[in-house]
Amino acid sequence: MKNIELASFDDFLHLARRQPEPQQLLFVFTRNELPEGHTPEQAEHYKAGQGGHLAPVVCVDKAPHEIGGFSAFVEEADGNIDDWAVFFVAALPGVANREPTPLAVEEALDRMVESVRIGQVGTYLAFDRSGAPLQFASVN
């Protein structure tokens, strides 16, 4: 499989629409928050625009054809989600030219929300509010 360079969310959407099997796109929107039990030092860094963690606030699934493009997608998100910062996305393919079942979508979204909650995001694409892809580094 060749590597594909994605420069924007719209690149991802275009790719999802070209897949041979029907796709259901899974989204987890997050906001930046201070962790429970944070220290005063962490609070100071957070006030300065540094630190915090990405906490899941909303998850949703959509077929690629239901999204007109990044601008429309963000407008819809802004109308339904307060103060989101980053969203994670994955594609769940169908089988034998059938869309994924509602149960498969629900289970995949549950796993995805939990993965994001614990910071295991390496298998998902992430985009910021401008539609730019993000990469996260491991901190040991």
Side-chain angles (χ1 to χ4, degrees):
M1 178 170 211
K2 67 180 183 174
N3 286 340
I4 297 170
E5 187 81 23
L6 297 177
S8 69
F9 176 77
D10 285 325
D11 287 349
F12 166 74
L13 191 56
H14 178 71
L15 183 64
R17 289 176 178 152
R18 291 187 4 218
Q19 297 306 301
E21 291 292 343
Q23 304 286 307
Q24 197 67 11
L25 304 181
L26 312 176
F27 299 93
V28 175
F29 286 82
T30 65
R31 72 172 52 108
N32 194 22
E33 296 180 346
L34 273 170
E36 280 188 38
H38 61 272
T39 66
E41 182 181 32
Q42 287 172 317
E44 285 298 315
H45 283 133
Y46 185 77
K47 281 184 187 177
Q50 303 170 0
H53 70 272
L54 294 173
V57 290
V58 171
C59 65
V60 66
D61 67 287
K62 289 189 172 283
H65 70 272
E66 295 178 310
I67 303 169
F70 183 73
S71 296
F73 185 66
V74 166
E75 186 176 323
E76 182 181 352
D78 286 343
N80 293 294
I81 307 165
D82 292 330
D83 198 30
W84 66 272
V86 170
F87 65 88
F88 294 90
V89 62
L92 181 64
V95 177
N97 215 21
R98 290 192 175 134
E99 294 179 359
T101 66
L103 180 60
V105 169
E106 181 180 345
E107 289 174 347
L109 272 173
D110 288 347
R111 285 189 306 273
M112 190 173 175
V113 168
E114 181 61 17
S115 293
V116 170
R117 189 186 67 71
I118 63 174
Q120 305 248 334
V121 296
T123 59
Y124 307 116
L125 295 175
F127 295 91
D128 66 13
R129 293 185 65 87
S130 71
L134 302 173
Q135 290 186 343
F136 293 92
S138 296
V139 179
N140 293 330

